Amino acid sequence: MTTKIQTVLLTGKTHTTASRREGASRDDDRVDIQMSIPGKAGNEITLKAIQLHPTAEQLFAGAWSACYTGALGVAAKARKVALPSDMSVDIEVDLGQTGHAYFIQARIDVCMPGVATDVAEAIAHAAHQMCPYSKAVHGNIDVTTSIVAAEALAA
């Protein structure tokens, strides 16, 4: 059983995209991090605009989003669905309190432009079943996963 957080103290955020390009430099005191998927040479995960001194929650969100993005690819391939090149995963991990106890919770937004919502939801669910980070937190922390429509991003 998970405990609901009463007071959020801070939130670590990541925006992850699957990318085959080299890292890009930034001039806004943030860094783009390239991570690789094990056994997938040439297929990197990009974490964009990470704070130069990230919090533990942001690092956890970054590692989880890289793993989960790879799992989305595996789940989509098993369903013979081509993921769009502009697919992205946003994970927010909150550190908070309930009474005097500390907890974390997470929100995951998956964006698969051009993929039917029911198909994207099935892929997202299947990815949670195989992602080691998702399995590690399942039943331990409150996690909400949402499929974000491409139209909502343009607004």
Side-chain angles (χ1 to χ4, degrees), residues 60-115:
F60 181 72
W64 188 1
S65 65
C67 183
Y68 185 68
T69 300
L72 287 168
V74 173
K77 185 175 181 180
R79 286 167 174 70
K80 298 180 174 36
V81 173
L83 290 177
S85 61
D86 55 350
M87 182 203 76
S88 63
V89 175
D90 291 285
I91 296 185
E92 297 182 351
V93 175
D94 298 324
L95 170 66
Q97 278 186 290
T98 298
H100 294 290
Y102 292 90
F103 298 95
I104 61 172
Q105 64 188 14
R107 289 170 304 288
I108 302 174
D109 291 333
V110 179
C111 182
M112 293 185 205
V115 177

Side-chain angles (χ1 to χ4, degrees), residues 119-142:
V119 174
E121 287 172 348
I123 291 169
H125 177 72
H128 277 304
Q129 302 305 309
M130 64 181 74
C131 172
Y133 287 83
S134 294
K135 291 191 285 186
V137 302
H138 182 76
N140 296 313
I141 70 169
D142 186 33

Side-chain angles (χ1 to χ4, degrees), residues 2-21:
T2 61
T3 301
K4 294 285 186 185
I5 291 176
Q6 292 174 336
T7 305
V8 173
L9 303 172
L10 65 92
T11 302
K13 300 177 183 182
T14 61
H15 176 77
T16 306
T17 59
S19 172
R20 293 175 195 250
R21 66 174 182 80

